[in-house]
Amino acid sequence: MGNTYYTLLDRTTTDDITTSNYRCNIHCQGAWNDNEQHMAAATGLLAYELEQFKPRSDMRIGRISLDIFGLIHFGDFSVTTHIIRPGRTIELVETTMAANGKTCIVARAWRMQTSDTSEIAGLEDERIGHPESYPNWDGMKHWGGGYIDSIYLKADPDNRQGDGIVWINTDIDMVEENGEVKPTSDFVHLMGMVDTANGVVPRIHQPNTIEWFFPNLDLQIHLHRMPVGRWLGLETVQQFGGDGVGLTSSVLHDAHGAFGRSEQILTIRKA
């Protein structure tokens, strides 16, 4: 086991379908269950597969939609990727993580043709403070698990339950193959931390005993530009409805400003 989230065992491509077999390393272990992967790390790996699959210089990913089908198995698993809607200016790529004969996650990414629209570019999401302007924060350590141990955080001292700003980073790369660490792009590095948003400003404070579970069933990421750098800023709001359903919403930042948004639908359950 190396200093990466995953080890690539082998990869094959037939009939425009790529299948990659992986093994989990401890850093991708989940917070809710020691026998499952954390969705953040799994998202990063699926982003890695999407990035690798038939890349086109005139296109980029504008949206990734991930649905969680059940337990994200910790161990050996496969990832299968193919294009389900080819096109000249837009195309839809699907990648599926499966283990033990069951689907764990299905991710779909819209790849969109790029062009120069700088003369009309404009943003409404304001910049947040640079990560170095916030103090270190260990407020997620009570969750446990290999993934949480792999990240370090800075947080706004004015955060409150359900609303706040947190910056996240990690020194762990995503994939190794044959003992060699593969370079982790900024895109994959940052996508591999977005799902952490569900735990950074929880509406309920339960540091010692977990009385409520609120796992997300999906993760939707929209990117109005490609992110750069290694720090991910989460400007997050978490809302719990009265009927067992909640929502975690985040503006996503890098050191240059906002680059997109994420949404996570939550199932709220008594422990």
Side-chain angles (χ1 to χ4, degrees):
M1 181 190 69
N3 197 37
T4 58
Y5 288 104
Y6 299 96
T7 298
L8 176 65
L9 302 177
D10 59 74
R11 177 179 284 132
T12 59
T13 299
T14 58
D15 298 327
D16 293 326
I17 299 174
T18 294
T19 300
S20 302
N21 292 303
Y22 283 96
R23 177 164 296 155
C24 291
N25 295 332
I26 189 61
H27 306 299
C28 73
Q29 183 185 47
W32 296 109
N33 185 335
D34 289 346
N35 297 314
E36 70 178 347
Q37 300 176 47
H38 198 288
M39 181 60 180
T43 299
L45 182 70
L46 295 178
Y48 177 80
E49 287 291 318
L50 289 166
E51 180 184 63
Q52 299 290 313
F53 186 77
K54 297 183 179 298
R56 289 174 52 179
S57 61
D58 62 335
M59 281 188 163
R60 73 161 178 87
I61 292 174
R63 187 217 69 179
I64 306 176
S65 175
L66 304 103
D67 290 303
I68 305 168
F69 278 52
L71 179 76
I72 310 172
H73 171 73
F74 186 90
D76 290 1
F77 61 93
S78 66
V79 178
T80 303
T81 309
H82 64 122
I83 295 176
I84 59 176
R85 194 280 190 191
R88 184 176 60 85
T89 60
I90 57 172
E91 61 185 20
L92 187 60
V93 186
E94 181 179 86
T95 188
T96 300
M97 177 185 289
N100 299 328
K102 296 182 178 180
T103 298
C104 302
I105 306 170
V106 174
R108 288 183 168 184
W110 280 111
R111 289 203 292 217
M112 308 160 68
Q113 187 177 57
T114 56
S115 62
D116 184 2
T117 54
S118 56
E119 64 179 292
I120 57 169
L123 299 178
E124 296 297 333
D125 292 322
E126 296 183 1
R127 295 182 65 164
I128 59 176
H130 190 274
E132 297 305 323
S133 68
Y134 297 113
N136 295 335
W137 183 61
D138 63 358
M140 295 192 71
K141 291 301 181 184
H142 66 278
W143 288 108
Y147 170 75
I148 297 299
D149 287 342
S150 78
I151 60 175
Y152 47 95
L153 307 99
K154 293 175 176 287
D156 187 340
D158 294 329
N159 284 357
R160 62 173 176 80
Q161 290 170 222
D163 189 4
I165 295 171
V166 173
W167 285 94
I168 309 175
N169 207 340
T170 179
D171 296 324
I172 308 298
D173 280 295
M174 191 59 59
V175 173
E176 65 178 347
E177 180 182 4
N178 297 323
E180 178 185 353
V181 175
K182 297 296 184 180
T184 304
S185 69
D186 290 348
F187 167 70
V188 170
H189 180 83
L190 295 172
M191 293 302 98
M193 298 183 289
V194 173
D195 185 77
T196 319
N198 195 36
V200 295
V201 286
R203 290 207 64 81
I204 48 177
H205 185 61
Q206 42 185 7
N208 299 316
T209 302
I210 295 178
E211 298 182 3
W212 292 93
F213 293 109
F214 48 95
N216 50 304
L217 305 183
D218 76 339
L219 173 61
Q220 311 293 322
I221 303 172
H222 291 82
L223 307 169
H224 56 72
R225 69 169 170 85
M226 289 297 282
V228 295
R230 310 307 273 183
W231 280 100
L232 173 67
L234 297 170
E235 186 179 6
T236 299
V237 173
Q238 187 174 78
Q239 304 179 82
F240 289 173
D243 62 353
V245 178
L247 181 67
T248 298
S249 307
S250 300
V251 181
L252 307 177
H253 298 258
D254 60 22
H256 300 280
F259 65 83
R261 292 182 176 236
S262 69
E263 300 280 350
Q264 298 157 286
I265 197 70
L266 315 178
T267 174
I268 307 169
R269 302 175 182 180
K270 197 77 171 173

